Amino acid sequence: MQQRRIGAVRVGAIGLGAMPMSVGGRPDTDRAVRTIHAALDAGVTLIDTADAYSLDSTDFGHNESLIARALAGYGGDTSGVLVATKGGHTRPGGSEWGLDGSPGYLRAACDASLTRLGVDAIGLYQFHRPDPRVPWADSIGALRDLADAGKIRMAGISNADPDQIRTARDILGDRLASVQNQFSPEFRSSEKELRLCAELGIAFLPWSPLGGIGRAGDLGGRFRPFAEIAEARGVSPQQVCLAWQLALAPVVVPIPGASRPETIRDSAAAADLTLDDQELATLDAA
Ligand SMILES: NC(=O)c1ccc[n+]([C@@H]2O[C@H](COP(=O)([O-])OP(=O)(O)OC[C@H]3O[C@@H](n4cnc5c(N)ncnc54)[C@H](OP(=O)(O)O)[C@@H]3O)[C@@H](O)[C@H]2O)c1
């Protein structure tokens, strides 16, 4: 698979978003493990997770534990796999999502993620979402301290605006390796963060790149040019969408979600699909 960079680490240009394997409608463990193994077989070396990817507070950490289990049971070499997790979202009760960006919470969350992932240091640790009750610099300072302590190798931020990216860069320096924001055909407003990342040489990971769980399957119905180009190329509209995102800048590494081996195999093939200038212009305008 075509390779891209997150900090100093080379990863396959298409990552795996693991969230659909732990939230509502999730598959059984056997299918989830087969999905992760299919991703690895296809050359995927970036797996995106978060401690909060779970049904509710009672199985907090489900997704991280699932990934640790799938990697341990994989027949091949997993030393080149970058597991990118996140902290800062809580699951206060039932299926609700809360926030805690306080340094003390992030320190404890990181320790718990280290244990669930069974590693000495987390390859990429991302602050999940700004917490309005905590100064941004305090949350990012916690990531710097985790890096200084050797608990995380690289830091990332998610759902951040350009000012927050610049501040995080000032605090973390080169250890700020990635920004993860929502970006898809229907959600393009984070293109300004994507462009800033391209300028600064920081990886940009579009989340819900296909429009999100429950909507991704109908991407071609909602955005006809993606379906038309897909038909002409003999590939899926989802592959065209991911190839279009890859062409936006060399720092882009999409993380399509999957809960079935077939879908991640199809998405991974987008790394080898090169669209021409006319196709890209059509999709930009779609
Ligand atoms: N940082 C944040 O705040 C944040 C928020 C949301 C998500 N994320 C991350 O971003 C990742 C991706 O987002 P997402 O999972 O919400 O949405 P998504 O990637 O836009 O869509 C996921 C859905 O797309 C389907 N799919 C994937 N590849 C396909 C293909 N080639 N053809 C047809 N269908 C395909 C999957 O179906 P199957 O389930 O049938 O395989 C899956 O349910 C998440 O897994 C998570 O890691 C981060």
Side-chain angles (χ1 to χ4, degrees), residues 17 48 158-159 180 207-208 210 212 216 255 257 259-260 263 266-267:
D48 182 72
S158 182
N159 302 299
Q180 181 176 146
W207 67 253
S208 291
L210 303 173
I255 46 167
S259 67
R260 291 182 294 133
T263 44
D266 186 68
S267 292

Side-chain angles (χ1 to χ4, degrees), residues 16-20 31 35 48-49 53 86 89 128-129 158-159 180-181 206-214 216-217 236 238-239 242 255-264 266-267:
L16 169 66
M19 186 172 81
R31 193 176 101 195
T35 302
D48 182 72
T49 179
Y53 293 165
K86 313 183 196 76
H89 256 307
H128 209 146
R129 188 178 286 275
S158 182
N159 302 299
Q180 181 176 146
N181 278 11
W207 67 253
S208 291
L210 303 173
I213 300 169
S236 69
Q238 290 80 7
Q239 252 187 60
L242 296 168
I255 46 167
S259 67
R260 291 182 294 133
E262 308 87 275
T263 44
I264 189 57
D266 186 68
S267 292

Side-chain angles (χ1 to χ4, degrees), residues 9-275:
V9 178
R10 278 160 58 82
V11 294
I14 297 290
L16 169 66
M19 186 172 81
M21 292 180 280
S22 289
V23 296
R26 71 192 190 191
D28 61 29
T29 304
D30 175 64
R31 193 176 101 195
V33 168
R34 282 191 289 109
T35 302
I36 296 166
H37 288 178
L40 299 173
D41 290 346
V44 167
T45 53
L46 169 66
I47 302 178
D48 182 72
T49 179
D51 55 6
Y53 293 165
S54 54
L55 288 179
D56 55 34
S57 55
T58 61
D59 82 334
F60 197 79
H62 177 275
N63 204 241
E64 291 179 328
S65 301
L66 172 70
I67 288 162
R69 176 177 176 161
L71 288 175
Y74 186 61
D77 180 16
T78 57
S79 59
V81 176
L82 177 63
V83 176
T85 193
K86 313 183 196 76
H89 256 307
T90 60
R91 303 300 302 271
S95 57
E96 282 172 53
W97 293 68
L99 290 172
D100 194 338
S102 64
Y105 176 82
L106 290 174
R107 270 196 302 276
C110 180
D111 282 342
S113 291
L114 283 164
T115 302
R116 282 189 292 262
L117 292 170
V119 294
D120 297 330
I122 291 169
L124 174 60
Y125 193 68
Q126 308 159 95
F127 179 42
H128 209 146
R129 188 178 286 275
D131 180 349
R133 295 167 312 166
V134 179
W136 176 247
D138 290 4
S139 301
I140 302 306
L143 261 59
R144 178 200 53 214
D145 294 347
L146 289 169
D148 286 345
K151 293 189 175 187
I152 68 173
R153 295 210 170 87
M154 298 187 287
I157 54 179
S158 182
N159 302 299
D161 66 25
D163 285 347
Q164 290 166 331
I165 295 172
R166 287 196 184 86
T167 303
R169 172 82 162 183
D170 288 346
I171 294 170
L172 289 160
D174 286 347
R175 290 177 294 187
L176 178 65
S178 67
V179 172
Q180 181 176 146
N181 278 11
Q182 185 173 11
F183 185 82
S184 65
E186 57 245 273
F187 193 96
R188 302 190 192 199
S189 59
S190 55
E191 191 162 348
K192 56 188 181 307
E193 287 89 17
L194 187 161
R195 294 291 160 212
L196 178 60
C197 286
E199 190 187 311
L200 298 174
I202 297 170
F204 182 87
L205 281 43
W207 67 253
S208 291
L210 303 173
I213 300 169
R215 293 164 64 82
D218 184 40
L219 186 143
R222 285 177 290 118
F223 293 90
R224 289 303 301 156
F226 286 83
E228 286 156 14
I229 291 173
E231 201 177 334
R233 292 293 200 121
V235 299
S236 69
Q238 290 80 7
Q239 252 187 60
V240 170
C241 177
L242 296 168
W244 164 69
Q245 294 179 10
L246 287 172
L248 290 172
V251 295
V252 174
V253 183
I255 46 167
S259 67
R260 291 182 294 133
E262 308 87 275
T263 44
I264 189 57
R265 261 187 229 116
D266 186 68
S267 292
D272 299 318
L273 176 64
T274 305
L275 300 170

